[in-house]
């Protein structure tokens, strides 16, 4: 049974940093691509970053490119999202997702499993 558990959210001031974690069980990163999405109140879930199982390629939304980094710790079976230079518009619930696909990772429809989410709030 696949389980994804996010942690690391919180309240920080603009310009600060946070590192989100997604602890995965019941799957292998050699066969699942992993992604981070976020959803603000009243908005649709939007893509943030992803890393594919096929070659470990990384993908980022334009709005976070250069500020966020997705990475995997294979020894801990955990995916991280390092977020720097945070802005108030980054405020959202952040979700970790797992997909058996190696491409098309910017669409939430391509993901098969989701975590429960972790709240990130950036104050101005």
């Amino acid at each position: 049974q696949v389980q994804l558990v996010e942690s690391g959210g919180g309240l920080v001031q603009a310009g600060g940093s946070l590192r989100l974690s997604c602890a995965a069980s019941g799957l292998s990163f050699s066969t699942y691509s992993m992604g981070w999405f976020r959803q603000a109140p009243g908005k649709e879930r939007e893509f943030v970053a992803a890393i594919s199982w096929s070659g470990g390629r990384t993908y980022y939304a334009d709005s976070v490119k250069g500020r966020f980094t997705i990475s995997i710790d294979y020894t801990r079976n955990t995916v991280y999202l390092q977020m720097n230079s945070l802005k108030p518009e980054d405020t959202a619930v952040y979700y970790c997702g797992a997909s058996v696909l190696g491409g098309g990772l910017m669409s939430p429809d391509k993901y098969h499993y989701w975590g429960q989410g972790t709240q990130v709030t950036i104050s101005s």
Side-chain angles (χ1 to χ4, degrees):
Q1 182 177 354
V2 174
Q3 188 173 15
L4 304 175
V5 179
E6 301 100 331
S7 62
L11 170 64
V12 298
Q13 289 188 328
S17 298
L18 279 174
R19 188 179 77 161
L20 305 183
S21 301
C22 173
S25 59
L27 63 77
S28 168
F29 294 139
S30 62
T31 55
Y32 278 85
S33 299
M34 302 299 295
W36 286 97
F37 286 73
R38 65 188 181 187
Q39 189 165 17
K43 295 189 176 182
E44 293 187 353
R45 190 168 296 192
E46 68 169 352
F47 170 75
V48 175
I51 184 166
S52 70
W53 65 260
S54 56
R57 295 183 67 177
T58 56
Y59 307 86
Y60 296 94
D62 288 343
S63 59
V64 307
K65 206 170 290 184
R67 300 189 298 123
F68 291 11
T69 303
I70 187 171
S71 62
I72 291 178
D73 185 335
Y74 292 91
T75 63
R76 289 184 165 86
N77 226 41
T78 298
V79 183
Y80 298 102
L81 184 68
Q82 177 66 45
M83 307 187 296
N84 299 327
S85 302
L86 285 161
K87 305 175 181 180
E89 51 264 42
D90 294 319
T91 295
V93 177
Y94 283 69
Y95 296 92
C96 171
S99 172
V100 298
L101 303 175
L105 298 174
M106 295 184 181
S107 170
D109 296 340
K110 303 300 184 185
Y111 289 76
H112 303 85
Y113 300 99
W114 293 98
Q116 82 290 348
T118 185
Q119 176 71 48
V120 171
T121 303
I122 312 303
S123 63
S124 57

